[in-house]
Amino acid sequence: MSVTLARLAAALEASWDAETAYLGAVRPGNPAYGQCYPTSRVVQHYFPELDVARGEVATGSGTECHFWNVRVTGDAVEHIDLSWQQFPPGSRRLAFELLDREPDDSPATTARCALLLARVRAVLPS
């Protein structure tokens, strides 16, 4: 059975917790909070044609750094964001840049990404 974005999104949500969140940040009722970077790398693992974007999100109460996936086809950019639900309604993306495919992450970030990938693999059938 192939992995779809919908199945991957469900597996990611089932796998998120403080150990995979940025600086262990959690918000009750908001499981996607702090999960954007490892989520975008796991999505890229399953869908290698996608790039990882780093950008800013205007939330109404400020601006936050955020990571998500994009598919660039010619001049068209498709945003694929499986952790967007962490932001309040009315939030919007501002400028973004694409990251290198070979990340130069800290050991802690590498460990968070590896842990999330391992959990997702355990949830998704081979």
Side-chain angles (χ1 to χ4, degrees), residues 65-120:
C65 179
H66 184 54
F67 299 88
W68 66 94
N69 299 93
V70 297
R71 177 181 288 125
V72 179
T73 308
D75 291 337
V77 177
E78 177 187 5
H79 297 272
I80 300 162
D81 194 338
L82 299 187
S83 65
W84 180 257
Q85 64 269 34
Q86 69 183 294
F87 297 110
S91 296
R92 58 186 172 79
R93 287 181 194 92
L94 302 174
F96 69 93
E97 65 182 349
L98 299 180
L99 299 183
D100 289 336
R101 288 195 160 264
E102 296 300 322
D104 184 24
D105 295 330
S106 70
T109 299
T110 299
R112 286 187 310 117
C113 293
L115 177 60
L116 186 59
L117 178 58
R119 288 178 178 176
V120 167

Side-chain angles (χ1 to χ4, degrees), residues 2-124:
S2 66
V3 175
T4 64
L5 278 173
R7 290 181 61 232
L8 182 55
L12 283 159
E13 191 163 339
S15 302
W16 290 330
D17 68 8
E19 289 182 296
T20 59
Y22 179 67
L23 298 177
V26 293
R27 285 194 179 159
N30 189 349
Y33 184 76
Q35 302 292 342
C36 60
Y37 185 75
T39 295
S40 65
R41 287 296 181 189
V42 169
V43 170
Q44 188 179 48
H45 172 83
Y46 283 95
F47 296 89
E49 71 276 13
L50 301 179
D51 288 302
V52 175
R54 174 181 53 216
E56 295 181 335
V57 173
T59 64
S61 62
T63 303
E64 296 185 29
C65 179
H66 184 54
F67 299 88
W68 66 94
N69 299 93
V70 297
R71 177 181 288 125
V72 179
T73 308
D75 291 337
V77 177
E78 177 187 5
H79 297 272
I80 300 162
D81 194 338
L82 299 187
S83 65
W84 180 257
Q85 64 269 34
Q86 69 183 294
F87 297 110
S91 296
R92 58 186 172 79
R93 287 181 194 92
L94 302 174
F96 69 93
E97 65 182 349
L98 299 180
L99 299 183
D100 289 336
R101 288 195 160 264
E102 296 300 322
D104 184 24
D105 295 330
S106 70
T109 299
T110 299
R112 286 187 310 117
C113 293
L115 177 60
L116 186 59
L117 178 58
R119 288 178 178 176
V120 167
R121 283 180 169 157
V123 171
L124 291 173

